[in-house]
PDB file of all heavy atoms in Angstrom:
ATOM      1  N   TYR B1011      97.982  99.493 106.428  1.00  0.00           N
ATOM      2  CA  TYR B1011      99.013  99.104 105.476  1.00  0.00           C
ATOM      3  C   TYR B1011      99.441  97.666 105.745  1.00  0.00           C
ATOM      4  O   TYR B1011      99.652  97.272 106.895  1.00  0.00           O
ATOM      5  CB  TYR B1011     100.224 100.043 105.590  1.00  0.00           C
ATOM      6  CG  TYR B1011      99.898 101.448 105.124  1.00  0.00           C
ATOM      7  CD1 TYR B1011      99.196 102.324 105.951  1.00  0.00           C
ATOM      8  CD2 TYR B1011     100.249 101.887 103.857  1.00  0.00           C
ATOM      9  CE1 TYR B1011      98.869 103.608 105.517  1.00  0.00           C
ATOM     10  CE2 TYR B1011      99.929 103.166 103.422  1.00  0.00           C
ATOM     11  CZ  TYR B1011      99.234 104.012 104.261  1.00  0.00           C
ATOM     12  OH  TYR B1011      98.905 105.276 103.827  1.00  0.00           O
ATOM     13  N   PHE B1012      99.566  96.900 104.665  1.00  0.00           N
ATOM     14  CA  PHE B1012      99.920  95.491 104.778  1.00  0.00           C
ATOM     15  C   PHE B1012     101.214  95.209 104.019  1.00  0.00           C
ATOM     16  O   PHE B1012     101.339  95.568 102.841  1.00  0.00           O
ATOM     17  CB  PHE B1012      98.809  94.606 104.211  1.00  0.00           C
ATOM     18  CG  PHE B1012      97.552  94.624 105.022  1.00  0.00           C
ATOM     19  CD1 PHE B1012      96.516  95.500 104.719  1.00  0.00           C
ATOM     20  CD2 PHE B1012      97.402  93.774 106.108  1.00  0.00           C
ATOM     21  CE1 PHE B1012      95.368  95.532 105.474  1.00  0.00           C
ATOM     22  CE2 PHE B1012      96.248  93.791 106.873  1.00  0.00           C
ATOM     23  CZ  PHE B1012      95.233  94.673 106.554  1.00  0.00           C
ATOM     24  N   CYS B1013     102.129  94.545 104.699  1.00  0.00           N
ATOM     25  CA  CYS B1013     103.342  94.028 104.083  1.00  0.00           C
ATOM     26  C   CYS B1013     103.054  92.583 103.678  1.00  0.00           C
ATOM     27  O   CYS B1013     102.461  91.818 104.454  1.00  0.00           O
ATOM     28  CB  CYS B1013     104.493  94.101 105.084  1.00  0.00           C
ATOM     29  SG  CYS B1013     106.081  93.564 104.432  1.00  0.00           S
ATOM     30  N   VAL B1014     103.461  92.209 102.469  1.00  0.00           N
ATOM     31  CA  VAL B1014     103.055  90.926 101.904  1.00  0.00           C
ATOM     32  C   VAL B1014     104.256  90.270 101.223  1.00  0.00           C
ATOM     33  O   VAL B1014     105.037  90.940 100.537  1.00  0.00           O
ATOM     34  CB  VAL B1014     101.932  91.140 100.860  1.00  0.00           C
ATOM     35  CG1 VAL B1014     101.453  89.815 100.298  1.00  0.00           C
ATOM     36  CG2 VAL B1014     100.765  91.906 101.480  1.00  0.00           C
ATOM     37  N   VAL B1015     104.378  88.947 101.390  1.00  0.00           N
ATOM     38  CA  VAL B1015     105.433  88.199 100.708  1.00  0.00           C
ATOM     39  C   VAL B1015     104.771  87.122  99.867  1.00  0.00           C
ATOM     40  O   VAL B1015     103.742  86.555 100.248  1.00  0.00           O
ATOM     41  CB  VAL B1015     106.432  87.580 101.713  1.00  0.00           C
ATOM     42  CG1 VAL B1015     105.762  86.530 102.588  1.00  0.00           C
ATOM     43  CG2 VAL B1015     107.629  86.991 100.998  1.00  0.00           C
ATOM     44  N   ARG B1016     105.342  86.861  98.700  1.00  0.00           N
ATOM     45  CA  ARG B1016     104.816  85.782  97.866  1.00  0.00           C
ATOM     46  C   ARG B1016     105.245  84.453  98.454  1.00  0.00           C
ATOM     47  O   ARG B1016     106.421  84.268  98.789  1.00  0.00           O
ATOM     48  CB  ARG B1016     105.314  85.921  96.432  1.00  0.00           C
ATOM     49  CG  ARG B1016     104.682  84.932  95.468  1.00  0.00           C
ATOM     50  CD  ARG B1016     105.049  85.271  94.036  1.00  0.00           C
ATOM     51  NE  ARG B1016     106.459  85.049  93.766  1.00  0.00           N
ATOM     52  CZ  ARG B1016     106.975  83.920  93.280  1.00  0.00           C
ATOM     53  NH1 ARG B1016     106.175  82.895  93.022  1.00  0.00           N
ATOM     54  NH2 ARG B1016     108.264  83.799  93.051  1.00  0.00           N
ATOM     55  N   ALA B1017     104.293  83.535  98.561  1.00  0.00           N
ATOM     56  CA  ALA B1017     104.567  82.247  99.191  1.00  0.00           C
ATOM     57  C   ALA B1017     105.185  81.297  98.200  1.00  0.00           C
ATOM     58  O   ALA B1017     104.714  81.160  97.087  1.00  0.00           O
ATOM     59  CB  ALA B1017     103.269  81.646  99.719  1.00  0.00           C
ATOM     60  N   GLY B1018     106.248  80.628  98.604  1.00  0.00           N
ATOM     61  CA  GLY B1018     106.772  79.544  97.802  1.00  0.00           C
ATOM     62  C   GLY B1018     107.526  80.001  96.585  1.00  0.00           C
ATOM     63  O   GLY B1018     107.449  81.133  96.159  1.00  0.00           O
ATOM     64  N   GLY B1019     108.282  79.095  96.035  1.00  0.00           N
ATOM     65  CA  GLY B1019     108.947  79.374  94.771  1.00  0.00           C
ATOM     66  C   GLY B1019     108.193  78.679  93.665  1.00  0.00           C
ATOM     67  O   GLY B1019     107.147  78.080  93.869  1.00  0.00           O
ATOM     68  N   GLY B1020     108.700  78.786  92.456  1.00  0.00           N
ATOM     69  CA  GLY B1020     108.072  78.067  91.358  1.00  0.00           C
ATOM     70  C   GLY B1020     106.738  78.639  90.955  1.00  0.00           C
ATOM     71  O   GLY B1020     106.483  79.831  91.096  1.00  0.00           O
ATOM     72  N   ALA B1021     105.857  77.789  90.508  1.00  0.00           N
ATOM     73  CA  ALA B1021     104.618  78.235  89.884  1.00  0.00           C
ATOM     74  C   ALA B1021     103.507  78.445  90.900  1.00  0.00           C
ATOM     75  O   ALA B1021     102.573  77.697  90.982  1.00  0.00           O
ATOM     76  CB  ALA B1021     104.185  77.238  88.839  1.00  0.00           C
ATOM     77  N   THR B1022     103.617  79.442  91.691  1.00  0.00           N
ATOM     78  CA  THR B1022     102.519  79.810  92.565  1.00  0.00           C
ATOM     79  C   THR B1022     102.555  81.303  92.797  1.00  0.00           C
ATOM     80  O   THR B1022     103.620  81.896  92.879  1.00  0.00           O
ATOM     81  CB  THR B1022     102.583  79.069  93.910  1.00  0.00           C
ATOM     82  OG1 THR B1022     101.523  79.554  94.747  1.00  0.00           O
ATOM     83  CG2 THR B1022     103.893  79.338  94.636  1.00  0.00           C
ATOM     84  N   ASN B1023     101.408  81.911  92.910  1.00  0.00           N
ATOM     85  CA  ASN B1023     101.325  83.329  93.234  1.00  0.00           C
ATOM     86  C   ASN B1023     100.558  83.555  94.516  1.00  0.00           C
ATOM     87  O   ASN B1023      99.978  84.603  94.729  1.00  0.00           O
ATOM     88  CB  ASN B1023     100.679  84.104  92.080  1.00  0.00           C
ATOM     89  CG  ASN B1023     101.702  84.480  91.023  1.00  0.00           C
ATOM     90  OD1 ASN B1023     102.823  84.838  91.345  1.00  0.00           O
ATOM     91  ND2 ASN B1023     101.315  84.389  89.780  1.00  0.00           N
ATOM     92  N   LYS B1024     100.556  82.555  95.402  1.00  0.00           N
ATOM     93  CA  LYS B1024      99.901  82.761  96.688  1.00  0.00           C
ATOM     94  C   LYS B1024     100.676  83.780  97.496  1.00  0.00           C
ATOM     95  O   LYS B1024     101.899  83.845  97.433  1.00  0.00           O
ATOM     96  CB  LYS B1024      99.826  81.431  97.448  1.00  0.00           C
ATOM     97  CG  LYS B1024      98.883  80.423  96.833  1.00  0.00           C
ATOM     98  CD  LYS B1024      98.989  79.075  97.528  1.00  0.00           C
ATOM     99  CE  LYS B1024      98.590  79.121  98.970  1.00  0.00           C
ATOM    100  NZ  LYS B1024      98.651  77.792  99.615  1.00  0.00           N
ATOM    101  N   LEU B1025      99.927  84.590  98.237  1.00  0.00           N
ATOM    102  CA  LEU B1025     100.529  85.647  99.045  1.00  0.00           C
ATOM    103  C   LEU B1025     100.326  85.379 100.525  1.00  0.00           C
ATOM    104  O   LEU B1025      99.313  84.806 100.918  1.00  0.00           O
ATOM    105  CB  LEU B1025      99.910  86.998  98.689  1.00  0.00           C
ATOM    106  CG  LEU B1025     100.044  87.455  97.237  1.00  0.00           C
ATOM    107  CD1 LEU B1025      99.358  88.809  97.049  1.00  0.00           C
ATOM    108  CD2 LEU B1025     101.499  87.539  96.823  1.00  0.00           C
ATOM    109  N   ILE B1026     101.290  85.831 101.327  1.00  0.00           N
ATOM    110  CA  ILE B1026     101.179  85.760 102.785  1.00  0.00           C
ATOM    111  C   ILE B1026     101.179  87.181 103.303  1.00  0.00           C
ATOM    112  O   ILE B1026     102.106  87.957 103.015  1.00  0.00           O
ATOM    113  CB  ILE B1026     102.332  84.954 103.385  1.00  0.00           C
ATOM    114  CG1 ILE B1026     102.258  83.507 102.893  1.00  0.00           C
ATOM    115  CG2 ILE B1026     102.282  84.995 104.911  1.00  0.00           C
ATOM    116  CD1 ILE B1026     103.448  82.682 103.290  1.00  0.00           C
ATOM    117  N   PHE B1027     100.151  87.517 104.087  1.00  0.00           N
ATOM    118  CA  PHE B1027      99.944  88.887 104.541  1.00  0.00           C
ATOM    119  C   PHE B1027     100.410  89.060 105.979  1.00  0.00           C
ATOM    120  O   PHE B1027     100.207  88.185 106.828  1.00  0.00           O
ATOM    121  CB  PHE B1027      98.456  89.248 104.457  1.00  0.00           C
ATOM    122  CG  PHE B1027      97.956  89.397 103.063  1.00  0.00           C
ATOM    123  CD1 PHE B1027      97.661  88.289 102.291  1.00  0.00           C
ATOM    124  CD2 PHE B1027      97.781  90.653 102.502  1.00  0.00           C
ATOM    125  CE1 PHE B1027      97.211  88.419 100.991  1.00  0.00           C
ATOM    126  CE2 PHE B1027      97.322  90.801 101.203  1.00  0.00           C
ATOM    127  CZ  PHE B1027      97.038  89.680 100.443  1.00  0.00           C
TER     128      PHE B1027
END
Side-chain angles (χ1 to χ4, degrees):
Chain B
Y1011 292 79
F1012 292 94
C1013 183
V1014 182
V1015 65
R1016 187 171 68 92
T1022 176
N1023 275 321
K1024 291 173 63 178
L1025 301 179
I1026 296 173
F1027 290 78

